[in-house]
Amino acid sequence: MARKRVIEAPSLKSWEDVNDALRQIAEAQIALGDIEGDMQKQIVGAKKVAEEQSKPYKDAIARLEHELKEFVSEHRSDMGKGKSMLLTFGEVGFRLSTSVSLPKAKEKLADIIRRLKARQMTDCIITEEKVSKEALKKYGEDTVNAVGATWKQKDEFGYEVNLEKLEQIRAGL
C-alpha cells in the first residue's frame, strides 16, 4: 500500500484568527504558570517535610562524627605505626591532606602569576581563550568572514502575548 502524505491546512485565515490564537496562547501560559506554581509549592512542602524528618539523623551523625574524631585523636597511639584502624563496621584514621590557598585580591594574584612565569611554571597557570561572538559581530560581515567565521542574518519570527489585557477581560466578566 502506498504511503499518503497528509497536508494539514493552516487553521489561521484572518487577523481575527491570529488574535484569537494569541489569546489562546496567553490563556495556556497562565494555566502553565498556575500548574508550575502549584508544583513549586508541593516541592517546597516536600523539602520541608524531608528536612524535618532527617534533622534528628543529621544531628546524630554530626554528634557521633565529632565524638569519633575526639576519641581517635586521643587514642592515636593505639594505632601503632599505622595511620588507620580497621574495625568491624568501618575504618578510622588520619590521612595527610595538602591544600593550596590563593588570595582573592587581583593584585596579589597577578603578582603570583608573574612569579610563576618568572620560574617557568606556566603549567600552574590556567589560560582560557574563547571567541566573543558578540564582540566579533560588531566588526561587520566582511571582517567576520575574513577571520574564518560565518555571518548569518535572517528574520526570526516572534510574538508577544498581552497577558494584562487578558487578565483585564477576565476580571470584567
Side-chain angles (χ1 to χ4, degrees), residues 119-135:
R119 293 175 179 243
Q120 316 264 310
M121 298 170 63
T122 54
D123 61 319
C124 300
I125 302 170
I126 298 172
T127 9
E128 189 175 336
E129 291 182 349
K130 290 185 177 181
V131 175
S132 170
K133 292 180 187 178
E134 290 302 312

Side-chain angles (χ1 to χ4, degrees), residues 6-29:
V6 178
I7 298 174
E8 192 174 315
S11 61
L12 304 179
K13 296 183 181 0
S14 68
W15 286 111
E16 290 82 24
D17 292 345
V18 170
N19 193 41
D20 187 53
L22 288 171
R23 179 191 54 78
Q24 290 175 35
I25 290 172
E27 287 175 346
Q29 287 177 343

Side-chain angles (χ1 to χ4, degrees), residues 15-135:
W15 286 111
E16 290 82 24
D17 292 345
V18 170
N19 193 41
D20 187 53
L22 288 171
R23 179 191 54 78
Q24 290 175 35
I25 290 172
E27 287 175 346
Q29 287 177 343
I30 290 170
L32 281 173
D34 293 343
I35 291 168
E36 289 172 357
D38 290 343
M39 176 189 68
Q40 288 301 324
K41 287 178 188 173
Q42 290 175 3
I43 290 171
V44 167
K47 283 183 179 179
K48 284 183 181 177
V49 169
E51 284 175 19
E52 290 171 10
Q53 290 176 345
S54 63
K55 187 177 182 342
Y57 297 104
K58 288 181 179 180
D59 291 346
I61 290 170
R63 179 182 51 78
L64 290 168
E65 286 174 342
H66 178 70
E67 290 176 10
L68 278 172
K69 183 179 178 184
E70 279 187 14
F71 181 88
V72 174
S73 295
E74 289 175 12
H75 296 87
R76 191 170 186 172
S77 59
D78 296 348
M79 291 187 217
K81 291 184 180 182
K83 290 186 171 190
S84 62
M85 181 176 281
L86 184 60
L87 301 167
T88 307
F89 295 106
E91 185 178 356
V92 293
F94 297 93
R95 297 286 178 262
L96 186 61
S97 174
T98 305
S99 66
V100 174
S101 61
L102 295 171
K104 294 191 187 264
K106 289 184 180 181
E107 305 84 36
K108 291 182 180 180
L109 279 174
D111 191 42
I112 291 172
I113 291 172
R114 182 186 53 74
R115 290 179 188 168
L116 287 169
K117 286 179 179 177
R119 293 175 179 243
Q120 316 264 310
M121 298 170 63
T122 54
D123 61 319
C124 300
I125 302 170
I126 298 172
T127 9
E128 189 175 336
E129 291 182 349
K130 290 185 177 181
V131 175
S132 170
K133 292 180 187 178
E134 290 302 312

Side-chain angles (χ1 to χ4, degrees), residues 30 162-173:
I30 290 170
N162 190 339
L163 294 175
E164 294 81 20
K165 185 69 173 178
L166 182 62
E167 292 290 348
Q168 289 172 356
I169 292 171
R170 282 185 171 180
L173 293 177

